[in-house]
Amino acid sequence: MNRRVLMAGVATAPVIAGLAAAGAAGAAPKANERATVRSGGTFKVAIPAGPLWNNDQAQRVGPWIAAAHGGTFTGQWWTVVGGAMSVVEVELPVHRDGIDEYTMDVPAGPLWNNDDARAKCPHVCASYGGEWTGNWRTVVWGKLSVAECRFRV
């Protein structure tokens, strides 16, 4: 399967590390816990979920957000900006070895030329759990470019 999709409005996803939990609804793990590789080849990250008002809503929404990022919701969530932003904890595999693959453009910030893209895009795609295909394009000159990433499922 080969699909091409432009991710809109996900410039900060999937990994948000080091966010302070002010008025957290759930206890936030320490920053070093979010970046630690877990046994079985997985790791946990906090992903923005918009404002979550209570645990029932978080338990309902968390699995949707986790699935959109190819992971599993751990059941943990916390508020990072009261009334404006919460995050859900998602467990992701270190390697995705599926036989199906697709490509998707992901926000990469401004890219100025091919050399700039070669330096940045492999890391940008890796931050989304993918591999850079070598393709990129500018969407808004000086503000936003996208990197084409390959994902396996």
Side-chain angles (χ1 to χ4, degrees), residues 1 5 9 21 24 26-27 33-34 36 50 66 87 93 97 99 101 110 113 118 120 129 137 149-150:
M1 171 195 322
V5 181
E33 289 182 62
R34 284 184 233 138
T36 304
V87 294
D97 298 326
I99 58 172
E101 65 179 45
N113 54 44
R118 278 191 289 275
K120 295 175 182 176
R137 65 185 175 86
C149 305
R150 178 180 299 108

Side-chain angles (χ1 to χ4, degrees), residues 1-2 14 23 42 48 55-57 65 85 96 104 112 115 119 122 127 138 140 142-143 145 152:
M1 171 195 322
N2 190 344
T42 64
N55 192 54
D56 288 341
Q57 182 187 24
I65 294 168
M85 184 58 65
R96 298 176 197 215
M104 180 166 53
W112 305 106
D115 289 338
S127 77
T138 294
V140 179
K143 294 184 180 182
S145 298
R152 297 188 196 311

Side-chain angles (χ1 to χ4, degrees), residues 59-114:
Q59 298 306 314
R60 189 175 62 254
V61 171
W64 304 337
I65 294 168
H69 293 274
T72 305
F73 178 49
T74 68
Q76 301 297 311
W77 68 282
W78 56 97
T79 298
V80 293
V81 179
M85 184 58 65
S86 299
V87 294
V88 296
E89 186 179 64
V90 175
E91 190 164 16
L92 298 168
V94 173
H95 299 288
R96 298 176 197 215
D97 298 326
I99 58 172
D100 291 320
E101 65 179 45
Y102 63 96
T103 60
M104 180 166 53
D105 289 344
V106 300
L111 298 172
W112 305 106
N113 54 44
N114 286 330

Side-chain angles (χ1 to χ4, degrees), residues 39 41 49 54 59 103 138 144 153:
S39 63
N54 56 51
Q59 298 306 314
T103 60
T138 294
L144 177 64
V153 291

